[in-house]
Amino acid sequence: MLYQSFLAIFDLYFNHMNNKHIYILPIAEKMLRGIGENVKLARKRRRLSEGQMAERAGISRSTVQLLEKGEPGVSMSAYVQVLFVLGLEEDLKKIASDDPLGRRLQDADIINPKK
């Protein structure tokens, strides 16, 4: 469920990226903070400093700090780079991989096609 919502959060971000302030739902904000905390814990388990993470991911140390705080302005590419550095790139495949609502809608359309 977390990964299904992850993509939706970033869609909200990219739809508003021309604005100076990014407006996201409170639940999405909470999810981003949780993802950031998970990334921070994974980094610390590997005994990597923020600087080491930034260097290996090709991003700035301040971006690492913002990502770990769950700031909505951090780019998806920064998350991707960080997950690769942590060896968690397989988690990316989980984003929107299970779509029960979409499957039910698709099945309903197959069973009751529009005439």
Side-chain angles (χ1 to χ4, degrees):
M1 177 95 173
L2 178 67
Y3 286 102
Q4 293 171 354
S5 300
F6 192 70
L7 192 58
I9 294 166
F10 281 103
D11 184 50
L12 286 171
Y13 165 72
F14 286 117
N15 286 334
H16 294 15
M17 66 191 273
N18 292 330
N19 295 342
K20 291 187 180 192
H21 183 74
I22 299 167
Y23 300 96
I24 63 171
L25 299 171
I27 188 85
E29 194 174 353
K30 185 177 179 180
M31 283 184 198
L32 279 176
R33 283 195 307 268
I35 292 167
E37 184 64 26
N38 289 346
V39 168
K40 184 176 186 174
L41 290 172
R43 174 182 60 79
K44 287 185 172 191
R45 282 186 210 106
R46 289 158 179 75
R47 292 180 166 66
L48 293 172
S49 69
E50 291 173 350
Q52 290 170 318
M53 172 67 80
E55 184 177 336
R56 292 178 187 187
I59 59 178
S60 69
R61 186 170 170 259
S62 63
T63 299
V64 170
Q65 292 170 338
L66 291 172
L67 185 151
E68 290 181 352
K69 288 180 184 176
E71 290 293 324
V74 176
S75 73
M76 181 126 179
S77 62
Y79 280 91
V80 170
Q81 289 297 104
V82 164
L83 290 174
F84 268 92
V85 169
L86 295 171
L88 298 172
E89 65 276 1
E90 290 297 313
D91 287 358
L92 292 169
K93 293 179 182 176
K94 296 177 185 173
I95 297 174
S97 64
D98 186 26
D99 184 13
L101 174 60
R103 290 185 193 278
R104 283 195 309 262
L105 292 170
Q106 182 182 29
D107 291 347
D109 193 44
I110 292 170
I111 293 169
N112 301 316
K114 296 177 184 175
K115 293 181 183 183

